[in-house]
Structure formats: structure tokens, C-alpha cells
Amino acid sequence: MSVHFNLKEAGFFSLEDWPVTVCAWRGCCIEVFAQGEHAVADCLSALEKAGIMLPKDARSPMPVTRLRGLKACIESHDFGKHGELARQRIDHWENVCKQRASLAHGRIKATADGVIISHRVFDGSTEWPQPPERLSRMDMLVSLQEISRAQQLLHQQLRQIEALAADAASATSRSDKKPPQ
């Protein structure tokens, strides 16, 4: 299920039941990250359907690794200025995604003026706590707005790449047929 919402109508300043509002905010953030992951998956599918060979990373179960695979694929084909801008959007989205783990897996405590997010990092053998992150109510809104904006820009640019996928695949196959010099 995918819920699309208008940030202006979300009403995140409800004081009546602040812990529920905090859960709604967290859910909205996770939903936007999911939309970004789907934009990446859709673009990878379109590139593959167009006949573009995807790198191994494009099949990773890890979203950030798939994102890097998409970036590598875009770098190796000619999408003109759209490819350059897509790489910039991917870099920005990758930076925004650093918040995802703490929002998805951290312990979030509602406070009178916002939230405290406590997250532990586990690298497979060692676990260590991250410093708690405090967000005011305004910081929460700004954070969601930044995540949403980055996702929208990524989505729009990846649609451009999808639209140019067939041309990029044709250009690649034409250059493969040229005799070596």
C-alpha cells in the first residue's frame, strides 16, 4: 500500500495526542523512503527492458547498493545532461538516506517539544549506540519536507532516464557494432 499525502494537510502539530502524531510523522518519513526505493527499482526495470545491461549491484537486496548500481549504469551510458543531473540527484538521495536507518529502526521517544531518536548500529559483529538525536517539532517538519523534496527530484529525474533508456540502449548497441580502431 502506498499512501500519498500533502505535507500542508498533514497537521503535524496536533497536541491532543502527540505520541500518535510522532508515529504518524515517522510513518510518513518511511513511506517517502519507500517511494524513493520504488523509483530506483522502476528505473532499473525500465533500463533492463530497454536492453541495457545492469551491473551486479543492481540486484542487491540492499537499497543503497541498488542505488549505487543504478548510478554506475547511468554513468556508463549516454543520457546527455539528464544522466549528469540524475547522478547528482542520486548522490543527494544517498545522503538523505543516511537518516533512514535511525527513523526505521531507532527508538523514538516523544518529548514535549519534539522527539529523541536513539539508534544502535550493528555491523555484523559489534553493536554500538549512536548519540541520541533531538528534533524539535519544527525540525521534524523540515526533515520530512527535505526527504520528500529529495524523493520528488529523484523520481522526476529517473523518469527522464527511463524515457531515454531505449535511445541509450540503441547507442550502446551501435557502438558495439563498430569495428575496433
Side-chain angles (χ1 to χ4, degrees):
M1 179 171 131
S2 184
V3 178
H4 301 279
F5 55 89
N6 181 336
L7 283 176
K8 293 176 183 162
E9 298 171 1
F12 281 116
F13 286 106
S14 169
L15 300 176
E16 295 168 15
D17 202 350
W18 181 240
V20 173
T21 301
V22 168
C23 288
W25 166 78
R26 180 186 205 175
C28 289
C29 291
I30 299 303
E31 173 61 25
V32 175
F33 283 120
Q35 290 173 15
E37 290 170 15
H38 281 277
V40 170
D42 292 345
C43 189
L44 286 167
S45 292
L47 292 172
E48 188 171 49
K49 285 178 186 169
I52 293 176
M53 187 71 93
L54 299 178
K56 180 181 157 187
D57 284 349
R59 299 278 180 232
S60 172
M62 302 300 295
V64 172
T65 305
R66 279 194 305 276
L67 186 65
R68 290 178 187 147
L70 175 59
K71 183 179 175 185
C73 184
I74 291 171
E75 287 173 345
S76 66
H77 292 83
D78 182 22
F79 295 100
K81 296 284 184 188
H82 291 288
E84 183 179 318
L85 188 53
R87 289 190 305 272
Q88 291 172 10
R89 299 285 191 242
I90 288 170
D91 287 342
H92 182 64
W93 181 247
E94 189 173 13
N95 193 41
V96 168
C97 282
K98 292 175 183 174
Q99 300 173 60
R100 185 186 176 283
S102 63
L103 287 170
H105 307 293
R107 180 172 287 142
I108 296 182
K109 179 183 177 195
T111 64
D113 63 339
V115 294
I116 298 173
I117 304 171
S118 302
H119 181 60
R120 289 186 245 178
V121 175
F122 182 68
D123 68 3
S125 61
T126 307
E127 182 178 337
W128 61 96
Q130 297 296 295
E133 182 179 5
R134 294 179 184 275
L135 297 176
S136 70
R137 292 176 189 206
M138 188 55 73
D139 292 338
M140 292 166 65
L141 286 174
V142 168
S143 176
L144 177 56
Q145 194 169 32
E146 288 173 354
I147 296 166
S148 295
R149 184 70 179 140
Q151 184 276 328
Q152 289 169 353
L153 292 172
L154 176 71
H155 176 83
Q156 291 167 356
Q157 201 56 40
L158 293 184
R159 295 299 78 81
Q160 294 294 327
I161 297 300
E162 288 177 31
L164 296 169
D167 292 340
S170 296
T172 301
S173 67
R174 283 193 304 271
S175 66
D176 290 345
K177 293 178 183 177
K178 289 181 183 177
Q181 309 225 346

